Amino acid sequence: QVQLVESGGGLVQAGGSLRLSCAASGIIFSIYAMGWYRQIPGKQRELVAVITSGGSTNYADSVRGRFTISRDNAKNTVYLQMNSLKPEDTAVYYCNGRPDGQTYYYWGRGTQVTVSS
């Protein structure tokens, strides 16, 4: 059974920080590219950050310099460190995983992040 389970969401004031975690099970985590996406009410789900199986990263322009994606293969976990949070970062954040060389992928159920002003 493949599972991606997000945690770490919550309510934070603007300018604050949160660290999201996504724990994976049922997959060979080390060969998966992992990503964080978010969905704001009324808008399409958008890519926030990705990290490849080799450790290279990419970020949406809106979060570059504020967010950092990382992975710990020994723990089968991908993280999203979010600093200098803004109210417009408020969204449900989803974890995504895709194995190298494949087109299918898995989603977590999401975790709510709310940034107050």
Side-chain angles (χ1 to χ4, degrees), residues 22-25 27-32 34 51 53 70-79:
C22 173
S25 60
I27 65 172
I28 306 175
F29 183 80
S30 61
I31 65 168
Y32 272 63
M34 303 298 298
I51 184 166
S53 61
S70 62
R71 65 192 297 157
D72 187 339
N73 287 348
K75 296 181 178 179
N76 283 10
T77 301
V78 62
Y79 305 95

Side-chain angles (χ1 to χ4, degrees), residues 54-78:
S56 62
T57 60
N58 197 21
Y59 299 89
D61 289 343
S62 59
V63 308
R64 187 175 294 110
R66 299 188 298 121
F67 291 9
T68 303
I69 189 170
S70 62
R71 65 192 297 157
D72 187 339
N73 287 348
K75 296 181 178 179
N76 283 10
T77 301
V78 62

Side-chain angles (χ1 to χ4, degrees), residues 2-4 27 32-35 37 45 94-108:
V2 175
Q3 282 193 304
L4 302 177
I27 65 172
Y32 272 63
M34 303 298 298
Y37 294 71
R45 190 173 299 185
Y94 296 90
C95 181
N96 171 276
R98 180 185 59 78
D100 292 342
Q102 304 295 336
T103 59
Y104 62 87
Y105 48 85
Y106 301 99
W107 289 102

Side-chain angles (χ1 to χ4, degrees), residues 7-38:
S7 62
L11 176 64
V12 66
Q13 291 184 330
S17 298
L18 283 174
R19 180 178 169 91
L20 305 184
S21 298
C22 173
S25 60
I27 65 172
I28 306 175
F29 183 80
S30 61
I31 65 168
Y32 272 63
M34 303 298 298
W36 287 97
Y37 294 71
R38 67 187 181 188

